[in-house]
Amino acid sequence: METATLKVFRFDPDKDKVPYYQDYEVPVEGTLLNALLYIKDNLDPTLSFRAFCRSEVCGSCAMKVNGKTKLACKTPMKELVETWKGKPLRIDPLDHLKVIRDLVVDIDKPIEKMKTLIPWLVPDPRVVPTDPMHESIIYPEELEAYKDQIHCMLCFSCYSACEAVEDYERYRGPFAFSRAYRFQVDRRDIETAKEKRIRYAISGGLWSCVQCQKCLYVCPKGVKPAEDIQNLRGQAVRKGFTDKPGAKKLKHYVDWIYATGQINRLYLPEEVYGNREAREKLTKAYEEMGVEVWEVPKPTKGLMKFRDIYLEILSKEEKALDLDFSHVRKIDKMVSDIFKADICTIVDRVHEEGKGGKLIEKLKGLFGGDNG
Amino acid sequence: MVKVGFYQGCCFQGQDAHMFETMKKTFKAIDVELVLLEETTCCGGNTIDEENRKLSYAINARNIALAEAKGLDMLISCNTCYMVIAKAKRAMDKNKKLREEINNLLKEEGLEYRGTNRIYHLLDFFRDVVGYDRIRKAVKRPLKGWKVAAYYGCHVLYPRETAVDNSDNPSSLQEILKALGAKVIDEYENKDACCGYHSFYTDKNMTLKKLDKILGSVREAGADIIATPCPLCFKSFDIYQTNMENPPGVPSSFLPELMAYAFGISKEESGLSHHLIKVEKD
Ligand code: SF4
Ligand code: SF4
Ligand code: FES
């Protein structure tokens, strides 16, 4: 029978000064959980791990294999052996949680963190009948908005893999933001609670997520915390929480891409951090080298039609007013001043004349943009 | 000669326009013609998704449709552009209603998303279309004695649906570096940590912490330089590193630059001699 070596993390705080690894030879059969149960039944009854349902429901069996977070009862041994090409499989408890014993971790902390985001429904009396004899109906279309999030089984895989948890103690955790978002889009939840949740989310690190997408990758239930975090960020800005750098960055993207088809990395430090010097320094450096600097990106060919599509979508989603039209007009003026014509007529002319060509030649290997 | 549509994003124009020139030379050496997809726009940088996901899908359905209209597959170098566009492609392919709605808007420009053409990132393009062998054969100046730390960056490995390699134990980058003759360092402590690029304008502190970790462990592993296929990771390493309180001075490179150099293109023209953190190695 094909076998594999599991190097399992062992630690009993009552007995061991430091953790150590113990090797076990297990059959390559069934899931990682089967292998652990094999150890417990046949090789070493002292090994501790959690696994209640054995069928991807309870969320208790998450752990790490060679550093990657896996749900033991969902992960075939065969797949692990193939991925790691026969190398030993190092089994560790989840990251960012205190080890109770061997692979068993203490999950109190992330649960407490989650509670700070009001992960429950605060009923709006205008929507939810106060009389308990009346039903509170949820329509299928409404459920659509949070149908994935409700499958979270609190396995803490995402909490373990999260880059933001790793480097920011207060960060609430991917799953916690997904929970919060689930109520943000529930019609029965009262507006004042939604407002509070956003405020708490911001102080809980909403803008500290690095968008690494690891939470999407490790979630065994198809929850997409990184995307919920994006949605929450959008809500934050729309609710007027616009003072954080991340909110200003978002506004930069929304306006500049509409106006020119591109972001403007020269202006990003200024519009986000008020750092005007960064732009001036760079512009000066280029000019000293005899390089002509356009302070706007080359407007994309077909820009006016692109704008139509952009605005159409925003209007349909009732978000057209998120565009700051006075900002857009300012950008238009910058473009017109540089190209000495009206934005509508410029775009295609620039491309015909190929003004960019000369620039490329001069700009030999200069780095340093957007150094905020 | 293979022809492929090249998506430039923000990394290959304006102040970085020369990067496209390097790319063209690098690809010529392996018999690939890059056709610049001029009418494409910024992919939204995974930030437009915060404003509205459908807007992100529409922008990128348009980007893909522009390549399709030319009958070309699309090559994307930036990890984030790749992921954002690949997510849009998946949504368009899976959701018929969305596709109809967006195609209705694209009609005005005479465009249609059909889903007929592929999108590639550098890594799977090199592996599946070019082949490691052809890269090996194009090498004129093997990177002998270069100890190169392989750094993938997040968005080519996560999420699962759009990953271009085995997310847990990828190999394409190592294979390419080996083909260039370099000594690959792929076991260093923080090889899988995020480069921090995307938090520079949302939480700068986070970026600096990430850099500190990655650069520290690269140094500890004894590498001469980092190689990444993602221009954003590269910028984080080269540019944002200078924002650290004590920049460790670890040099980095964007993979096509190293390839250009190994293919015999001068250090100057490859871009390698213009980094903020000097590349001393020859
Ligand atoms: S995307 Fe954000 S929430 Fe998800 S794992 Fe990365 S840092 Fe954490
Ligand atoms: S979001 Fe997914 S990975 Fe995170 S705790 Fe819930 S089920 Fe587990
Ligand atoms: S044992 Fe319940 S999810 Fe694995």
Side-chain angles (χ1 to χ4, degrees):
Chain A
M1 191 194 349
E2 192 190 355
T3 62
T5 307
L6 296 192
K7 274 184 147 2
V8 185
F9 177 96
R10 302 297 311 264
F11 182 56
D12 178 351
D14 294 334
K15 250 178 40 213
D16 306 322
K17 275 209 191 78
V18 284
Y20 61 97
Y21 287 92
Q22 192 162 349
D23 287 4
Y24 301 101
E25 201 67 19
V26 298
V28 178
E29 232 176 42
T31 63
L32 173 59
L33 180 57
N34 292 133
L36 293 170
L37 290 165
Y38 174 87
I39 296 174
K40 193 140 178 109
D41 292 344
N42 301 294
L43 306 175
D44 185 351
T46 68
L47 179 66
S48 299
F49 55 90
R50 275 198 195 111
F52 301 119
C53 72
R54 304 185 186 186
S55 51
E56 306 167 34
V57 177
C58 72
S60 69
C61 68
M63 54 189 68
K64 291 194 308 172
V65 182
N66 289 351
K68 311 291 174 165
T69 313
K70 299 283 161 192
L71 197 67
C73 69
K74 193 188 180 179
T75 309
M77 279 300 290
K78 209 166 179 62
E79 186 186 298
L80 289 176
V81 169
E82 267 162 27
T83 296
W84 296 101
K85 309 196 168 85
K87 274 196 212 156
L89 303 170
R90 205 185 68 235
I91 313 296
D92 283 294
L94 290 182
D95 274 336
H96 310 131
L97 299 164
K98 210 178 98 210
V99 174
I100 296 175
R101 194 172 154 168
D102 298 340
L103 302 174
V104 180
V105 289
D106 183 351
I107 57 171
D108 284 355
K109 191 163 150 195
I111 297 267
E112 286 310 313
K113 280 184 173 179
M114 175 181 72
K115 285 188 195 157
T116 66
L117 298 180
I118 326 180
W120 50 77
L121 188 88
V122 184
D124 183 342
R126 285 169 313 174
V127 185
V128 182
T130 38
D131 174 1
M133 294 312 286
H134 274 95
E135 281 180 286
S136 174
I137 299 168
I138 310 169
Y139 298 97
E141 316 78 88
E142 283 177 55
L143 194 63
E144 192 61 28
Y146 50 86
K147 68 170 189 337
D148 293 331
Q149 291 82 347
I150 53 180
H151 291 297
C152 171
M153 55 181 176
L154 298 178
C155 70
F156 303 107
S157 294
C158 59
Y159 191 80
S160 172
C162 178
E163 288 282 330
V165 171
E166 168 78 15
D167 280 309
Y168 184 34
E169 177 59 29
R170 287 166 59 93
Y171 191 74
R172 297 302 189 253
F175 73 100
F177 288 114
S178 276
R179 283 276 155 138
Y181 179 68
R182 176 246 171 281
F183 294 102
Q184 290 301 97
V185 287
D186 194 317
R187 190 178 55 96
R188 301 165 301 167
D189 189 78
I190 196 163
E191 189 50 41
T192 49
K194 293 194 204 298
E195 170 102 13
K196 254 196 208 159
R197 249 183 236 112
I198 290 291
R199 225 170 330 116
Y200 298 167
I202 291 173
S203 67
L206 182 62
W207 292 107
S208 297
C209 162
V210 298
Q211 283 295 317
C212 66
Q213 312 286 315
K214 287 182 181 173
C215 47
L216 266 69
Y217 175 65
V218 300
C219 179
K221 288 288 161 189
V223 182
K224 297 176 173 161
E227 295 188 358
D228 293 337
I229 286 164
Q230 291 179 316
N231 296 339
L232 285 169
R233 287 176 172 182
Q235 284 191 354
V237 173
R238 214 157 292 118
K239 286 190 193 303
F241 297 95
T242 50
D243 58 325
K244 291 275 190 267
K248 294 180 189 154
K249 175 189 177 188
L250 173 54
K251 286 189 139 323
H252 177 99
Y253 272 66
V254 171
D255 292 349
W256 276 96
I257 295 177
Y258 172 77
T260 65
Q262 300 293 340
I263 58 166
N264 187 339
R265 286 193 278 117
L266 200 54
Y267 271 82
L268 204 49
E270 188 167 344
E271 291 186 2
V272 174
Y273 289 125
N275 181 358
R276 199 182 162 138
E277 217 186 305
R279 169 170 62 88
E280 289 170 349
K281 238 169 83 185
L282 195 71
T283 311
K284 206 170 137 236
Y286 279 129
E287 271 161 7
E288 277 169 9
M289 297 176 64
V291 172
E292 167 190 17
V293 177
W294 297 350
E295 292 209 335
V296 293
K298 182 157 106 183
T300 302
K301 222 170 169 177
L303 178 70
M304 296 329 267
K305 282 177 185 154
F306 169 78
R307 281 191 181 184
D308 288 349
I309 295 169
Y310 199 102
L311 196 57
E312 184 91 24
I313 298 259
L314 283 181
S315 311
K316 275 185 163 180
E317 303 281 302
E318 294 179 24
K319 287 178 175 162
L321 293 179
D322 289 356
L323 267 171
D324 177 351
F325 285 100
S326 71
H327 190 201
V328 171
R329 268 199 301 280
K330 251 211 247 130
I331 297 171
D332 280 354
K333 184 160 178 335
M334 286 169 74
V335 174
S336 312
D337 287 351
I338 287 168
F339 299 106
K340 314 219 164 26
D342 178 65
I343 179 87
C344 303
T345 52
I346 282 166
V347 194
D348 298 314
R349 211 196 67 202
V350 172
H351 287 269
E352 275 155 32
E353 290 175 6
K355 189 170 175 180
K358 202 169 77 202
L359 207 68
I360 288 169
E361 226 170 84
K362 284 190 199 167
L363 269 175
K364 270 271 156 58
L366 236 195
F367 292 106
D370 76 348
N371 196 350
Chain B
M1 178 77 89
V2 181
K3 238 176 152 186
V4 69
F6 184 70
Y7 174 77
Q8 56 183 342
C10 66
C11 290
F12 296 90
Q13 54 178 307
Q15 40 201 349
D16 298 327
H18 62 283
M19 292 299 294
F20 179 59
E21 300 304 301
T22 302
M23 290 287 269
K24 274 201 289 202
K25 286 182 205 136
T26 308
F27 278 79
K28 206 173 146 216
I30 43 177
D31 249 2
V32 178
E33 187 191 336
L34 299 182
V35 180
L36 187 64
L37 299 169
E38 265 202 277
E39 287 145 304
T40 52
T41 65
C42 170
C43 71
N46 196 38
T47 298
I48 287 301
D49 297 68
E50 294 173 1
E51 169 66 20
N52 186 266
R53 210 164 300 278
K54 200 182 279 177
L55 180 57
S56 176
Y57 290 158
I59 289 175
N60 291 307
R62 178 183 172 275
N63 284 333
I64 299 170
L66 285 161
E68 287 185 351
K70 291 192 163 73
L72 294 170
D73 288 337
M74 189 177 195
L75 175 66
I76 306 164
S77 165
C78 168
N79 285 15
T80 300
C81 297
Y82 168 77
M83 178 202 65
V84 172
I85 297 175
K87 275 188 179 180
K89 182 165 174 56
R90 266 183 71 82
M92 292 293 283
D93 288 342
K94 279 177 61 184
N95 185 339
K96 209 167 149 244
K97 228 179 96 207
L98 177 79
R99 185 165 166 160
E100 265 166 28
E101 183 184 345
I102 290 178
N103 268 337
N104 236 335
L105 295 174
L106 295 183
K107 238 192 328 215
E108 196 201 331
E109 237 184 306
L111 290 172
E112 185 191 358
Y113 175 89
R114 286 190 228 100
T116 45
N117 295 46
R118 282 201 55 161
I119 58 174
Y120 290 100
H121 178 262
L122 285 185
L123 291 180
D124 53 340
F125 189 77
F126 287 145
R127 182 191 58 210
D128 302 339
V129 180
V130 177
Y132 302 139
D133 227 31
R134 184 140 32 135
I135 295 176
R136 201 169 299 119
K137 284 188 189 130
V139 172
K140 297 213 178 72
R141 178 169 34 203
L143 301 179
K144 260 221 182 84
W146 287 59
K147 283 180 273 172
V148 183
Y151 181 87
Y152 281 83
C154 300
H155 294 162
V156 275
L157 300 179
Y158 321 110
R160 184 187 311 269
E161 294 75 17
T162 52
V164 301
D165 203 332
N166 183 305
S167 312
D168 287 339
N169 191 20
S171 58
S172 49
L173 180 54
Q174 290 95 313
E175 292 301 326
I176 295 163
L177 292 172
K178 268 190 236 157
L180 302 180
K183 164 134 183 39
V184 184
I185 302 212
D186 63 352
E187 287 301 336
Y188 56 98
E189 203 189 333
N190 291 299
K191 62 176 180 182
D192 201 35
C194 158
C195 74
Y197 181 87
H198 289 293
S199 60
F200 195 71
Y201 288 102
T202 59
D203 180 353
K204 197 185 268 188
N205 220 1
M206 187 64 86
T207 309
L208 303 181
K209 280 188 193 160
K210 296 293 174 204
L211 287 174
D212 190 50
K213 281 192 176 161
I214 298 171
L215 300 172
S217 70
V218 163
R219 169 137 296 167
E220 211 162 280
D224 301 313
I225 192 168
I226 307 172
T228 173
C230 174
L232 301 185
C233 298
F234 165 64
K235 276 168 202 266
S236 191
F237 295 147
D238 191 53
I239 301 174
Y240 295 166
Q241 181 177 175
T242 62
N243 283 258
M244 294 171 71
E245 212 171 299
N246 295 305
V250 175
S252 56
S253 64
F254 173 49
L255 179 64
E257 294 179 328
L258 270 192
M259 296 175 78
Y261 187 64
F263 293 165
I265 294 164
S266 74
K267 202 167 173 184
E268 166 87 19
E269 293 221 21
S270 72
L272 278 175
S273 41
H274 303 285
H275 297 184
L276 296 186
I277 311 288
K278 290 270 165 293
V279 181
E280 308 281 2
K281 194 89 188 150
D282 275 310

